[in-house]
Amino acid sequence: MRVLGIETSCDETGVAVYDTQVGGAVGLLAHAVYSQIALHAEYGGVVPELASRDHVRKLLPLIRQTLAEAGLKPADLDGVAYTAGPGLVGALLAGAGVARALAWALDLPAIGVHHMEGHLLAPLIEDDPPEPPFVALLVSGGHTQLVAVDGIGRYRLLGETLDDAAGEAFDKTAKLMGLPYPGGPQLARLAEQGRSGEFRFARPMTDRPGLDFSFSGLKTQVLLAWRQSDQSEQTRIDIARGFEDAVVDTLAIKCERALDEAGCETLIVAGGVGANRRLREKLRAVAAKRGGRVCFPRPELCTDNGAMIAFAGALRLRAGQRASAGINVVPRWDMAALPPVGEPIDVGAR
Ligand code: KG4
Ligand code: ZN
């Protein structure tokens, strides 16, 4: 089954074609991402109306480009998947509208995909995918969650952030140290050269039981350290390293606890912060120590992309799930409410 995936929940237009006939990484026939970073940079953050308009502008050219790269014509497709939420409502509607219109014109089944389920399943696009049950660490710009995955579509929330998401903490911390938008990846790049231990920040909420996170206090600690420092380039680099160490350690400690609680030794990691090199290293070391396994998508499939939507949608379409023909999006959507895959269910608006 060849499924076209369309992602437009925020500031990235992602398009891909995934073929369920072929296993592993070759299942992904083509994928392309257009980032709106330059468009939003002068405002220091995403401007929703500009994002929606840019998705409208870029979607059809990107779909044509992706189909050409896959060597396919529209008539070769068997289904369409699009991000139906959570996300910016106008941006979601741009993708859902195009996806629905295509499905209607080509007489194809279509399904709205939960953006975080897309992230969660992205590691399974790679070779030798793990089988559930496993624990998923979802670390993006909007979410930080630990999820027990009992099966595809069977998700139990173990813990989540009480305030800022991990990616949001990276972005805000970068901003307060004067790095240009979007700061997260730039802060991570600076941290690569930083000296560990020059600045030591708290590992929030690791001194008490539980699997929830809190990252907003860390940002304040960094702000104080930065204000009281000489604000030299070396200091910026060392603070970036201290901040990254704190986030990475905190995530690793909670991942170990979640594995203990779930009673399993397979961890999967997804979402933009999953591209972080030091987080990947640390979690690999944790898995090696425990004799377990950690799986990540390649870094370009950690951040927003169409491949994860094509893949998650393909699993659901193949199981007989379909959305009704209306153009419906769900800006706020609880992942635990998703139907399991394997039972043919009319998921209605979703
Ligand atoms: O998953 P994603 O692309 O979008 C959302 O669904 O939010 O995640 C974007 C987030 C941003 O906050 C960005 O700063 C962060 O992921 N991010 C990183 C890195 N690359 C992206 N954070 C730390 N290190 C990175 N290398
Ligand atoms: Zn995302």
Side-chain angles (χ1 to χ4, degrees), residues 139 170 184-185 187-189 191-192 240 243-245 247-248 251 269 271-284 296 299 302-303:
V139 269
F170 264 91
L187 186 78
R189 225 168 292 133
E192 297 273 316
F243 167 81
E244 187 182 67
D245 282 348
V247 174
V248 166
L251 292 173
V269 183
V273 185
N276 185 273
R277 205 175 66 80
R278 195 153 282 114
L279 179 66
R280 292 166 87 97
E281 266 170 20
K282 177 86 184 183
L283 293 178
R284 280 201 187 99
F296 307 90
C302 284
T303 44

Side-chain angles (χ1 to χ4, degrees), residues 10 29 36 40 77 89 131 189 192 220 263 273 342:
C10 191
L29 301 184
Q36 301 179 352
H40 301 291
L77 294 171
V89 69
E131 291 273 336
R189 225 168 292 133
E192 297 273 316
T220 314
V273 185

Side-chain angles (χ1 to χ4, degrees), residues 7 9-10 12 115-116 119 140-143 271-272 302-305 308:
E7 154 64 33
S9 66
C10 191
E12 249 101 26
H115 181 80
M116 295 312 293
H119 275 304
S140 71
H143 293 75
C302 284
T303 44
D304 288 349
N305 64 85
M308 66 187 197

Side-chain angles (χ1 to χ4, degrees), residues 238-303:
D238 290 337
I239 290 182
R241 177 60 189 263
F243 167 81
E244 187 182 67
D245 282 348
V247 174
V248 166
D249 278 358
T250 305
L251 292 173
I253 290 167
K254 299 278 166 134
C255 282
E256 282 214 66
R257 273 190 207 168
L259 289 169
D260 290 341
E261 191 169 311
C264 80
E265 286 303 340
T266 304
L267 175 69
I268 67 166
V269 183
V273 185
N276 185 273
R277 205 175 66 80
R278 195 153 282 114
L279 179 66
R280 292 166 87 97
E281 266 170 20
K282 177 86 184 183
L283 293 178
R284 280 201 187 99
V286 164
K289 179 187 79 182
R290 296 172 66 104
R293 184 174 178 203
V294 60
C295 307
F296 307 90
R298 67 198 89 163
E300 77 203 61
L301 298 188
C302 284
T303 44

